[in-house]
Amino acid sequence: MKNLSEKISNKIGNLILDKKGTNIKILDVRELTSLTEFFIVCTSDSSPKTRAITEYIKDELKKNKLIPWHIEGLESMEWVLLDYVNIVINIFNQDTREYYNIERLWSDAKITEISD
């Protein structure tokens, strides 16, 4: 049975897909860290798309009274992080994603790919 964070993570993955984010992965890190339950990672190919994905997630989750605890990266748009405490969303441009390679850092996580 999926818990609430897992259901919301899947919803976020589909929201990213709606706005044409690519290479979407949900990393279940519940067994690996107490920092959060899920990391969501995706790639955006432009700053306007990154902003659109970010705003869409915020607007859609706000309808369910979910507000990010913290947001980083809106100035440069190379890596935007939306922290919802139990779920942390990372929206990368291609070069930054390759450089930080979050999936490698959390390679022991259960990884779910979201695609259409």
Side-chain angles (χ1 to χ4, degrees), residues 25-75:
K25 295 186 179 170
I26 300 172
L27 287 68
D28 181 342
V29 295
R30 290 177 286 189
E31 305 283 321
L32 305 173
T33 183
S34 59
L35 294 173
T36 190
E37 294 181 10
F38 294 91
F39 285 119
I40 300 175
V41 184
C42 76
T43 303
S44 169
D45 58 17
S46 70
S47 292
K49 188 182 286 185
T50 299
R51 186 168 303 283
I53 293 168
T54 301
E55 293 304 317
Y56 188 55
I57 291 169
K58 284 173 36 188
D59 292 346
E60 290 300 309
L61 294 184
K62 190 175 185 179
K63 292 176 183 176
N64 295 311
K65 300 190 176 13
L66 296 170
I67 308 295
W69 176 69
H70 185 71
I71 299 174
E72 285 183 35
L74 292 174
E75 310 77 31

Side-chain angles (χ1 to χ4, degrees), residues 3 10-11 13-14 26 31 57 76 95-96 98 109:
N3 76 5
N10 285 313
K11 175 184 172 103
N14 286 302
I26 300 172
E31 305 283 321
I57 291 169
S76 70
D95 291 341
T96 306
E98 288 172 11

Side-chain angles (χ1 to χ4, degrees), residues 76-108:
S76 70
M77 302 302 268
E78 292 174 8
W79 176 3
V80 174
L81 182 143
L82 296 152
D83 186 345
Y84 284 88
V85 182
N86 293 346
I87 301 166
V88 177
I89 305 155
N90 300 274
I91 307 164
F92 289 101
N93 70 20
Q94 186 65 46
D95 291 341
T96 306
R97 180 158 183 186
E98 288 172 11
Y99 180 80
Y100 286 102
N101 197 354
I102 295 252
E103 295 95 321
R104 183 184 50 76
L105 292 173
W106 296 99
S107 61
D108 291 341

Side-chain angles (χ1 to χ4, degrees), residues 1-17:
M1 188 167 128
K2 291 185 178 185
N3 76 5
L4 186 58
S5 294
E6 199 168 351
K7 289 178 183 170
I8 295 168
S9 292
N10 285 313
K11 175 184 172 103
I12 293 166
N14 286 302
L15 293 173
I16 294 167
L17 201 57

